[in-house]
Amino acid sequence: MISFRHEVFFEVANHLSFTKASQVLNLSQPAISRHIKSLEEQYKTSLFERVGNAVKLTLPGNLLLDHLRQAKEVQIRLSYALSTHQDEYNAKGELRLGASTTVALYIIPEILSAFRQRYPNVRITLLNRNSENVLKALGNNEIDLGIIEGQTKTTSVSYRYFLSDEVIAVCSPKSELWYRESINLEELKNYPVALRERGSGTLDSVKAALAEVNMKIADLKNNISLGGTEALKNFLLVDNCLGFLPLRSVRKELASGTLKQVFIEGLHVQRQFYFIQRHGSESDPFGQAFVRFALQGHNNML
């Protein structure tokens, strides 16, 4: 088992902050410093160096971090193997998930509920951020498995296709477009448009779809961007803007008549969701169990 001192080092190294590590571990900063000093005395080398108000890992510190990550993977797999030796139902451990907004709010809850019933002794946490920040959280070891929209050029991450989704244009009765069934691409440029924030997978999908018809975001009358699907949806309910939202997020509003889909001729916004893991951690048992669970029939409930 990894010692508590090594757990302290692991948190400081991942956050590059004694303050954040003390918050995560609920320890005082002097206690954090004592544990790090003890490890440095044990290994007879410095693990961190201060650069102004920040800290960075030394070469021995980076070496220790790499080996600790491998040790934690072994520890997780061993715990899983021992706890499931007689019955998968008894599996014990932790699953740290991160998901983009659409997935976290409209796709994953039902799957998580069914997964929890099969693995009642597994502690599950779900981080809800946009795709860009889920990717960062994976790189910072804040999560073990992520679900994001699209693929990036990040070479340290492995991708596995999950499912597809459609993004549609919607408006409320306050918009002039409420009385239109469809508009063409040239007309789209004449109406105010509200969009998601930078880093959002939804926004990236809209950009990609526009690029296919030789248009850019700059061609639209866009002067407001909102962080989060619900924030954008609630804004559209009370404003005259047109907005692009995942179909899954507005089904209730479309059914109740508080929002309406506006078809844009020649523009189709489709995006794909992927499971992401750090290279080398693909054998994480709980991450793999969740991926299998989501793919083997449970995504047909969506």
Side-chain angles (χ1 to χ4, degrees):
M1 295 291 289
I2 296 173
S3 72
F4 185 70
R5 285 177 181 171
H6 287 98
E7 292 286 0
V8 170
F9 167 82
F10 194 75
E11 292 298 334
V12 176
N14 277 318
H15 296 289
L16 289 178
S17 168
F18 281 67
T19 301
K20 289 183 179 177
S22 69
Q23 293 169 351
V24 171
L25 296 169
N26 197 28
L27 289 175
S28 67
Q29 287 193 51
I32 296 287
S33 298
R34 284 196 298 273
H35 284 298
I36 297 300
K37 184 178 180 181
S38 295
L39 275 182
E40 290 178 330
E41 290 174 350
Q42 176 182 334
Y43 293 119
K44 298 180 174 57
T45 187
S46 295
L47 301 173
F48 296 97
E49 60 178 313
R50 293 194 174 275
V51 182
N53 294 324
V55 295
K56 60 182 291 188
L57 285 162
T58 61
L59 287 175
N62 271 306
L63 185 64
L64 177 58
L65 179 60
D66 287 341
H67 281 76
L68 274 181
R69 282 176 173 156
Q70 296 175 41
K72 285 177 77 70
E73 293 292 338
V74 172
Q75 183 171 296
I76 290 170
R77 291 197 295 271
L78 176 60
S79 176
Y80 178 85
L82 292 174
S83 65
T84 59
H85 178 64
Q86 294 181 328
D87 186 0
E88 186 181 58
Y89 182 85
N90 292 320
K92 295 179 180 179
E94 182 178 15
L95 175 62
R96 301 183 303 165
L97 284 170
S100 58
T101 305
T102 300
V103 176
L105 293 179
Y106 310 107
I107 296 175
I108 215 72
E110 198 167 355
I111 296 174
L112 276 179
S113 176
F115 184 82
R116 190 182 67 83
Q117 291 174 48
R118 176 174 293 188
Y119 298 94
N121 297 313
V122 174
R123 183 174 183 271
I124 302 170
T125 56
L126 174 62
L127 187 71
N128 173 14
R129 296 181 182 173
N130 67 29
S131 292
E132 182 180 279
N133 287 318
V134 169
L135 193 61
K136 287 180 181 177
L138 186 72
N140 293 334
N141 201 50
E142 296 173 42
I143 59 173
D144 304 307
L145 174 68
I147 307 173
I148 65 170
E149 301 160 39
Q151 298 187 56
T152 71
K153 296 179 181 179
T154 306
T155 58
S156 60
V157 173
S158 63
Y159 292 82
R160 183 170 180 178
Y161 173 77
F162 180 24
L163 51 79
S164 297
D165 188 39
E166 183 180 4
V167 175
I168 64 172
V170 296
C171 70
S172 77
K174 293 181 179 292
S175 170
E176 297 175 49
L177 292 171
W178 183 260
Y179 302 101
R180 300 282 301 275
E181 290 301 320
S182 65
I183 58 174
N184 60 43
L185 290 167
E186 200 59 35
E187 288 177 302
L188 175 61
K189 300 176 183 179
N190 300 325
Y191 295 96
V193 176
L195 297 169
R196 283 286 306 278
E197 82 287 2
R198 187 186 68 81
S200 157
T202 301
L203 178 62
D204 289 342
S205 299
V206 173
K207 286 181 178 178
L210 287 172
E212 290 182 2
V213 293
N214 298 314
M215 286 181 63
K216 305 184 295 294
I217 292 294
D219 295 326
L220 306 181
K221 293 176 65 175
N222 166 241
N223 64 2
I224 182 165
S225 300
L226 292 98
T229 300
E230 286 296 305
L232 177 54
K233 179 169 68 175
N234 288 330
F235 173 78
L236 293 174
L237 286 167
V238 298
D239 196 82
N240 68 344
C241 278
L242 181 74
F244 290 91
L245 284 169
L247 174 59
R248 298 174 193 273
S249 71
V250 292
R251 281 176 173 159
K252 290 181 181 179
E253 288 75 18
L254 294 175
S256 66
T258 52
L259 288 177
K260 173 186 175 180
Q261 180 174 2
V262 178
F263 294 92
I264 302 171
E265 298 167 11
L267 187 69
H268 182 61
V269 187
Q270 187 85 16
R271 75 258 182 90
Q272 288 74 45
F273 292 103
Y274 293 86
F275 292 108
I276 57 171
Q277 289 180 283
R278 292 180 298 276
H279 280 309
S281 68
E282 294 92 343
S283 59
D284 167 56
F286 294 114
Q288 289 305 302
F290 184 81
V291 171
R292 289 195 304 270
F293 190 82
L295 293 175
Q296 291 174 357
H298 287 277
N299 54 359
N300 62 16
M301 69 178 68
L302 304 174

